[in-house]
Amino acid sequence: MTDLLFPPRPTPVLPVIGAAGFPVGRIFCVGRNYADHAREMGHEVDREAPFYFTKSAPSVLQSGQDMPYPPRTSDLHHEMELVVALDQGGKDIPQQQAMAHVFGYGCGLDMTRRDLQAAAKDKRRPWDTGKDFDNAAILGPLTPKAGDHSIDDLVIRLDVNGETRQQATLGDMVWSIPELIADLSTLYTLHPGDLIMTGTPAGVGPVMPGDALRGTIGDFAPVETRIV
């Protein structure tokens, strides 16, 4: 074995309800997957194909931990999302087989430096600095999938300081979970440990130090944090 110059960074591990921990690989995020959110951001949904951006595993913050207000922004936004966790990999996965790759679900917050994202968009530059930064992916414990029944009727909701900011049903997603997995697998070879953050409903907005965030989806474990 080759000696290392320094120890590798630890892999984030998410708690799992009733099971061993889930080591996080890549985090794929879906853009404009709720029509109402796309409209509030000044866009229309393009049904031709979904599009993606990524967050890195070091951006993960565990639910229940405080989020320090990030540097070089004055417009930090919340985006509440369903997280889909994969425990099987593959490429060119057919839609009808996609759900066999799903381990379970969780609640997540895609935190966004909106001003940095907007400035990058205006200049036609990549907007990684608006999306992939320390503590930008706040993730709750995972709940293993129970059979193949649909979760489309579950309500996704985010409260800030006890006031509801975002609320929709998962059935409002433009692209379904099987469609997303099948499409992603034509762009990447998927691996166990990969996560898909499936987009956010309307109602995104700014948060400030002192704000308490709590996101829920059905009876999945909530995602919670406080901005400090």
Side-chain angles (χ1 to χ4, degrees), residues 26 77 97 137 196:
R26 294 169 297 180
H77 277 213
Q97 298 176 16
I196 306 172

Side-chain angles (χ1 to χ4, degrees), residues 1 6 14 17 23 30 36 46 61 63 81 87 106 118 124 152 170 172 192 201 208 215 218 220 228:
M1 178 177 176
F6 48 83
L14 297 180
I17 303 301
V30 185
D36 286 348
D46 182 358
L61 180 70
S63 176
E81 311 205 1
D87 65 351
R124 295 180 174 269
D152 285 354
L170 297 182
D172 293 333
M208 298 296 293
F220 301 155
V228 297

Side-chain angles (χ1 to χ4, degrees), residues 26 28 89-91 184-185 187-191 194:
R26 294 169 297 180
F28 300 103
K91 60 182 179 179
L184 267 173
S185 74
L187 294 166
Y188 303 89
T189 298
L190 300 178
H191 294 277
D194 287 342

Side-chain angles (χ1 to χ4, degrees), residues 38-95:
R39 281 191 287 270
E40 77 177 348
M41 300 301 290
H43 305 285
E44 291 297 324
V45 171
D46 182 358
R47 271 293 299 180
E48 183 177 349
F51 77 93
Y52 311 96
F53 57 93
T54 59
K55 290 179 182 277
S56 55
S59 73
V60 170
L61 180 70
Q62 301 274 359
S63 176
Q65 296 181 324
D66 291 343
M67 180 190 185
Y69 197 91
R72 295 184 62 176
T73 184
S74 58
D75 197 20
L76 177 67
H77 277 213
H78 59 74
E79 297 191 14
M80 176 62 192
E81 311 205 1
L82 168 72
V83 178
V84 177
L86 306 183
D87 65 351
Q88 294 187 47
K91 60 182 179 179
D92 298 322
I93 299 168
Q95 283 188 35

Side-chain angles (χ1 to χ4, degrees), residues 154-186:
L154 297 184
V155 172
I156 178 171
R157 171 176 169 171
L158 178 72
D159 292 346
V160 179
N161 302 325
E163 176 184 351
T164 299
R165 292 268 191 95
Q166 295 182 266
Q167 185 166 313
T169 62
L170 297 182
D172 293 333
M173 289 195 295
V174 175
W175 299 94
S176 69
I177 296 169
E179 287 175 319
L180 292 171
I181 293 171
D183 187 68
L184 267 173
S185 74
T186 68

